[in-house]
């Protein structure tokens, strides 16, 4: 599946079976889910524990009352899964020394936002892609369907206040 978006116009997906876009004129609009109760949410985190603190993600998920185990996913696929409503939340909190590449996130941010979701750092600020090839972000990445975003940021702040860190 290939995802594409245009600022102010929406987000879509197309079948790309066999590495080729099939029926290029036929694309399906995507929308994030309407899940507003974190207990019913599907949350994702990075596969690589060296890239992200699974302990901090687990603390936030527990604070929110998320019942299901996390789905571990990397690449731009995580943004596609949220944009078409199959998951509601992705959290990635970098460990000391790890720096994100902008190409791992920039296109996915547009897809989620155009599908109705929100992507921010762990304090609710927009990700800054203007500083070269690296995303100098020590506060992590939170991508959601939008309905869960404020609750996630509050739970993250409580986890930090309780001493849970991404190190």
């Amino acid at each position: 599946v290939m995802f594409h978006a245009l600022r102010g116009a929406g987000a879509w997906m197309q079948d790309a079976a066999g590495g080729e876009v099939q029926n290029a004129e036929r694309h399906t609009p995507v929308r994030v889910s309407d899940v507003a109760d974190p207990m019913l949410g599907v949350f994702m985190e990075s596969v690589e524990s060296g890239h992200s603190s699974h302990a901090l993600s687990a603390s936030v998920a527990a604070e929110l009352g998320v019942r299901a185990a996390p789905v571990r996913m990397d690449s731009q696929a995580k943004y596609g899964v949220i944009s078409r409503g199959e998951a509601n939340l992705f959290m990635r909190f970098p460990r000391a020394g790890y720096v994100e590449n902008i190409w791992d996130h920039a296109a996915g941010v547009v897809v989620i936002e155009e599908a109705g979701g929100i992507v921010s750092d762990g304090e609710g600020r927009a990700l800054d892609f203007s500083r070269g090839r690296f995303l100098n972000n020590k506060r992590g990445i939170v991508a959601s369907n939008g309905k869960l975003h404020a609750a996630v940021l509050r739970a993250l702040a409580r986890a930090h206040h309780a001493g849970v860190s991404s190190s």
Side-chain angles (χ1 to χ4, degrees):
V1 174
M2 180 178 75
F3 293 89
H4 53 103
L6 179 62
R7 269 279 176 229
W12 303 270
M13 65 180 189
Q14 288 179 251
D15 183 19
E20 302 220 4
V21 175
Q22 305 295 314
N23 300 318
E25 68 282 353
R26 295 183 56 209
H27 51 264
T28 305
V30 293
R31 279 308 277 170
V32 296
S33 75
D34 287 331
V35 172
D37 183 346
M39 290 192 304
L40 303 175
V42 174
F43 102 86
M44 298 182 298
E45 66 181 353
S46 180
V47 172
E48 299 288 335
S49 61
H51 295 177
S52 183
S53 170
H54 290 164
L56 182 51
S57 295
S59 177
V60 172
E63 176 76 28
L64 291 168
V66 173
R67 294 180 181 165
V71 175
R72 294 202 169 138
M73 186 175 295
D74 281 318
S75 78
Q76 291 282 340
K78 60 189 169 271
Y79 291 107
V81 170
I82 291 174
S83 73
R84 67 182 184 185
E86 294 174 355
N88 320 103
L89 173 63
F90 173 78
M91 296 182 287
R92 186 167 175 147
F93 305 112
R95 294 194 172 278
Y98 182 76
V99 180
E100 301 280 358
N101 296 304
I102 63 167
W103 53 82
D104 289 333
H105 303 282
V109 169
V110 177
V111 171
I112 284 188
E113 289 175 350
E114 287 301 313
I118 298 173
V119 182
S120 74
D121 71 9
E123 294 178 347
R125 290 188 291 257
L127 301 181
D128 183 359
F129 297 112
S130 70
R131 299 182 180 262
R133 58 190 274 184
F134 299 113
L135 186 59
N136 294 317
N137 172 5
K138 306 291 185 229
R139 293 171 295 279
I141 297 171
V142 176
S144 78
N145 66 353
K147 295 186 183 291
L148 300 175
H149 213 82
V152 171
L153 296 177
R154 286 191 301 272
L156 178 58
R158 286 191 296 272
H160 282 306
H161 185 71
V164 182
S165 75
S166 59
S167 300

